[in-house]
Amino acid sequence: MNLTNTPTDTMPDIQQAEHVLHEVFGFEEFRSLQKDIIQNVLQKQDTLAIMPTGGGKSLCYQIPALIFDGLTIVVSPLISLMKDQVDQLTAYGISASYLNSSLSPQVYQSTLDEIRRNKLDLLYLAPETLLKPNVLNLLSGLNVECVAIDEAHCISEWGHDFRPEYRQLSQVTDRFDHAVTLGLTATATPRVQKDIANTLGLADANTFVASFNRKNLYLDVVTKSNPLQQTINFLRRHEGDSGIIYCFSRKQVDQLTQDLNANGFNALPYHAGLGEGERTQNQNAFIRDEVDIIVATIAFGMGIDKPDVRFVVHHDMPKNIESYYQQIGRAGRDGLQSDCLFLFSYGDAGKIRYFIDQKTGDEQRVAEEHLQKLMDYVEAHQCRRIKLLGYFGEHFNEQNCGMCDFCTGDTPEREDITVPVQKFLSTMVRTEQRFGYNHILNVLLGSRRKAVLKFNHDKLSTHGIGKDLSRPEWKQIYRELMKQDIIVREFEHKSLKLTPKAMEILKGNQEVFGVIEEPVQKGRSTSSSKSDIESLDFNRELFGLLKEKRMELAQKQGVPPYIIFADTSLIEMAYYYPQAKESFLKIHGVGRAKAKKYGEDFLGVIKEFCENNDLNERSKSDTKKQTKSVQKTLSKDSRPFEVGQMFQGGKLIGEIASEIEVKEGTVVGYLSKFLKAGHSIPADHILEASGLSKEKWDGVFKAFEEHGHELLRPVFDALNEEIPYDELRIVQLYLMVKDGDQE
């Protein structure tokens, strides 16, 4: 279908696709793998696309749908998402509709008539609707050119959201044998990918796997101590932002919603216990920016395509790492920075284990495996992205992601806690492993409470030997013991038990390192890895006026504000000040249909603001050239620049770390960025930060000589994973300086 004034039928496929991308959707270039996937679909090659949430999966079938002569069927399990996508496509001037149970009989019938008359480019269907004999018979008489199956992980029993009806879709793809099949999902491990391909008959399909790394998401795992206050402190840093808070139960959702509203926040609940009408009303209020925060169980979010969700909080622990990844994926779909906070406690893990114990056979084994992978992520003492991306079969080799609590130095340093651990374990042995944490603590602190006296535990040799530490410090010791699998807690009786690892510690054969001070949640500084749009120093006042105009138009049309324009479009408008139709068309996300429909309204706001403030339009093409030429410079206010200056001035890495209260590894990362920005630093004193012996240095230097110093993973593997990454980064920095490697 030709939606523009330029003929496309004489262009090669991929040129047509680029033309549609620019003219219809208003985007300048394809994202990672979009171009390859679209080209494959246009050539009628069956395709499996694994792309992260927010990675642009929808365009992979929407653009081919506008180039194909026939119909594209999109299978989606989510009624709310169907309506949302159809609304967005309609705003772009595209002919699209959906069939599902939410439609009135009259609208359902009129949509069937549109289908019969070949009036649609895209038709969205739930799998149950598509499998109905009357719908299948109707579609079989049409020219169906593409069957796109969204959320394809629902096909696999190994996936986190298995839907039995999805496994019947192979019947449909067989029926439309001249149509290309495109399977799409955001969360698929290698095992799930294989299962999808086999079940859909895509064994010979081309598979495209994009990186699962959502660079704009800040990942933070914090020990849950006072969850309400921790949540409130976090939300105060996100005043006015849209966000989702996930809770374990309906009761917790209702209580937290009530508490947040009592503290001045604007929140609504969402869970299966509410009536369907109330759920829909609350979801729509969130989507339309009438409420900032949704507090929800996992029932919420799969049908949400809101691009400007700025944070996701896990108030309670999710069931597995795929659910966690999918839920945090609802933040920052517009590519702008967003925060993901995970409040973790072993009590939450115990609740999940209790429900796993009610399962049997393979179902129980799979659930246990999923939970353990999530625990590995939570308990890791390294960059969060290593474990998270590793779960999906992706190696993360960057020395510092700059967007997680470990890489920004927000996690406390570990220290030797062997002696207090031995005191705790010894008290467990002397009380015959029959008691919980509070009783053990009372014995250690020398308490004469009734329960201690009743069992004569005031007579034990360990009674009172823990007075050198405070209750909060002992709480941290206990958390470390649980985290490191040194002790376990029975769910039913809450008594603590020793593991084999504990016996080795008691014998003095093993040391224990951990955090003894309770971690304090810090406000993070802005990452230096901003998107191009986000790095623009846009006019905040104009941005606010444009948001008001967007809300006004959205309310008139009864659609979410982002259907009209995303924040990214408004940011560019508030930076470039376009005042003519031609320059308005160059703004990100403004296609010809939207320019025609909304141009007058938004240009009016911009022109009036510029006249009142004596501002002139900026040329987008000129600014882009300037941006590219200086993109590797560092702001003099940035932390890497500050650290580089300190090191040039003679301060050692350890001294700098103490002064700015971060880890030494974080300082090394800042110096690396300073170096890559074209500045120089002296090689002297870099290696003084290393704790390696001379013999180990020789081995490390040899490994770097063999594998180069661009990537650390090959060096780490060559050294049998025995040398920590922090040590390797020190040597890498030294070699970069010696080689004059400043990119």
Side-chain angles (χ1 to χ4, degrees), residues 473-665:
E473 287 172 329
W474 276 116
K475 186 73 170 180
Q476 278 301 113
I477 297 287
Y478 167 64
R479 286 169 178 158
E480 287 291 343
L481 290 169
M482 293 287 288
K483 183 187 291 189
Q484 298 185 39
D485 200 30
I486 295 168
I487 61 174
V488 293
R489 188 177 68 160
E490 283 189 345
F491 187 78
E492 189 174 352
H493 301 294
K494 306 292 191 295
S495 59
L496 303 178
K497 304 292 181 187
L498 303 172
T499 68
K501 195 185 289 187
M503 302 312 297
E504 291 301 305
I505 295 165
L506 282 170
K507 292 174 186 174
N509 296 335
Q510 190 171 321
E511 293 180 324
V512 188
F513 288 84
V515 176
I516 203 167
E517 293 182 12
E518 185 164 359
V520 177
Q521 194 179 340
K522 301 177 184 177
R524 69 177 178 86
S525 56
T526 305
S527 166
S528 57
S529 57
K530 289 184 177 181
S531 65
D532 287 345
I533 290 176
E534 207 166 4
S535 61
L536 297 176
D537 185 18
F538 61 95
N539 189 300
R540 306 281 168 172
E541 186 181 350
L542 176 56
F543 180 71
L545 294 172
L546 293 170
K547 283 184 77 173
E548 288 176 13
K549 174 57 69 175
R550 181 178 68 177
M551 178 61 88
E552 176 193 322
L553 294 171
Q555 288 174 341
K556 280 182 185 175
Q557 296 175 30
V559 297
Y562 61 80
I563 294 290
I564 294 173
F565 286 120
D567 280 1
T568 46
S569 300
L570 301 190
I571 286 172
E572 285 205 351
M573 292 179 204
Y575 179 78
Y576 293 109
Y577 310 127
Q579 294 174 52
K581 184 180 177 183
E582 294 71 27
S583 47
F584 191 66
L585 274 168
K586 292 179 182 177
I587 296 297
H588 177 86
V590 177
R592 291 199 176 274
K594 285 194 175 184
K596 185 177 180 181
K597 192 171 185 179
Y598 304 120
E600 193 174 315
D601 289 301
F602 284 89
L603 286 172
V605 173
I606 296 167
K607 286 176 182 175
E608 183 180 350
F609 184 83
C610 289
E611 286 171 7
N612 292 339
N613 293 276
D614 197 24
L615 295 169
N616 295 318
E617 182 178 309
R618 289 172 169 155
S619 168
K620 188 172 180 183
S621 54
D622 291 347
T623 311
K624 274 190 74 176
K625 287 173 188 171
Q626 291 170 11
T627 302
K628 285 187 177 177
S629 67
V630 299
Q631 64 185 19
K632 290 192 177 179
T633 63
L634 288 174
S635 163
K636 291 187 178 180
D637 296 328
S638 70
R639 184 52 65 85
F641 189 86
E642 176 194 349
V643 166
Q645 295 268 289
M646 292 168 78
F647 193 75
Q648 284 178 335
K651 289 193 175 179
L652 301 179
I653 288 173
E655 293 173 340
I656 297 171
S658 298
E659 187 169 327
I660 65 174
E661 297 182 337
V662 298
K663 296 179 180 181
E664 290 188 11

Side-chain angles (χ1 to χ4, degrees), residues 149 151-158 161-163 166-167 169 195-196 199-200:
I149 299 170
E151 309 293 346
H153 60 272
C154 295
I155 286 168
S156 176
E157 293 181 82
W158 297 103
D161 193 34
F162 173 56
R163 309 279 179 102
Y166 254 69
R167 291 187 83 84
L169 291 175
D195 200 13
I196 294 170
T199 306
L200 281 178

Side-chain angles (χ1 to χ4, degrees), residues 193-378:
Q193 291 173 32
K194 187 176 180 182
D195 200 13
I196 294 170
N198 290 338
T199 306
L200 281 178
L202 299 179
D204 297 325
N206 291 324
T207 299
F208 298 86
V209 183
S211 171
F212 284 88
N213 184 20
R214 295 284 308 283
K215 293 182 179 180
N216 62 314
L217 300 186
Y218 183 85
L219 308 178
D220 193 8
V221 179
V222 174
T223 300
K224 185 192 286 190
S225 52
N226 182 343
L228 176 59
Q229 193 57 52
Q230 287 172 300
T231 303
I232 287 171
N233 292 344
F234 175 85
L235 294 178
R236 282 181 179 147
R237 303 203 306 272
H238 286 277
E239 205 74 49
D241 286 345
S242 287
I244 306 169
I245 303 175
Y246 285 105
C247 294
F248 189 77
S249 69
R250 301 173 188 180
K251 183 179 178 182
Q252 285 167 303
V253 167
D254 291 336
Q255 185 61 57
L256 183 58
T257 303
Q258 185 178 328
D259 290 340
L260 292 180
N261 286 323
N263 279 276
F265 297 100
N266 190 8
L268 284 174
Y270 188 103
H271 57 69
L274 302 174
E276 186 177 343
E278 188 175 359
R279 284 203 308 273
T280 302
Q281 185 178 335
N282 290 356
Q283 178 170 295
N284 287 340
F286 178 66
I287 288 172
R288 295 178 180 181
D289 290 345
E290 294 162 11
V291 66
D292 295 330
I293 302 162
I294 281 284
V295 184
T297 58
I298 58 169
F300 180 82
M302 276 194 72
I304 299 300
D305 199 24
K306 184 174 166 63
D308 60 345
V309 174
R310 290 278 75 86
F311 63 85
V312 169
V313 175
H314 281 90
H315 184 271
D316 301 310
M317 189 170 179
K319 292 180 181 177
N320 52 57
I321 205 163
E322 286 184 64
S323 296
Y324 171 72
Y325 180 80
Q326 188 178 63
Q327 287 158 12
I328 63 172
R330 286 158 196 158
R333 292 187 180 207
D334 53 9
L336 304 185
Q337 288 185 29
S338 305
D339 281 356
C340 304
L341 174 65
F342 186 155
L343 298 178
F344 171 73
S345 80
Y346 286 94
D348 287 351
K351 289 177 190 174
I352 294 173
R353 282 205 169 92
Y354 175 77
F355 288 108
I356 290 174
D357 289 344
Q358 314 308 307
K359 303 177 187 288
T360 56
D362 280 348
E363 190 182 4
Q364 185 184 64
R365 185 167 52 80
V366 170
E368 285 175 349
E369 185 180 307
H370 283 168
L371 177 60
Q372 188 52 53
K373 292 291 185 184
L374 183 59
M375 295 296 288
D376 290 346
Y377 167 76
V378 169

Side-chain angles (χ1 to χ4, degrees), residues 95-153:
S95 179
S97 193
Y98 58 89
L99 280 179
N100 60 42
S101 58
S102 71
L103 298 176
S104 68
Q106 294 81 3
V107 175
Y108 196 97
Q109 192 57 50
S110 67
T111 304
L112 288 176
D113 291 340
E114 281 188 304
I115 297 168
R116 289 190 187 96
R117 290 185 283 121
N118 294 312
K119 293 289 186 181
L120 300 178
D121 291 308
L122 292 109
L123 175 65
Y124 287 77
L125 298 160
E128 300 87 347
T129 306
L130 177 56
L131 291 165
K132 287 180 179 177
N134 66 317
V135 175
L136 267 180
N137 290 334
L138 169 61
L139 295 173
S140 296
L142 302 175
N143 179 22
V144 176
E145 295 220 48
C146 177
V147 178
I149 299 170
D150 206 1
E151 309 293 346
H153 60 272

Side-chain angles (χ1 to χ4, degrees), residues 723-736:
I723 306 297
Y725 272 102
D726 280 348
E727 291 288 354
L728 296 180
R729 288 175 188 127
I730 293 168
V731 179
Q732 181 189 45
L733 178 64
Y734 175 79
L735 293 173
M736 286 168 64

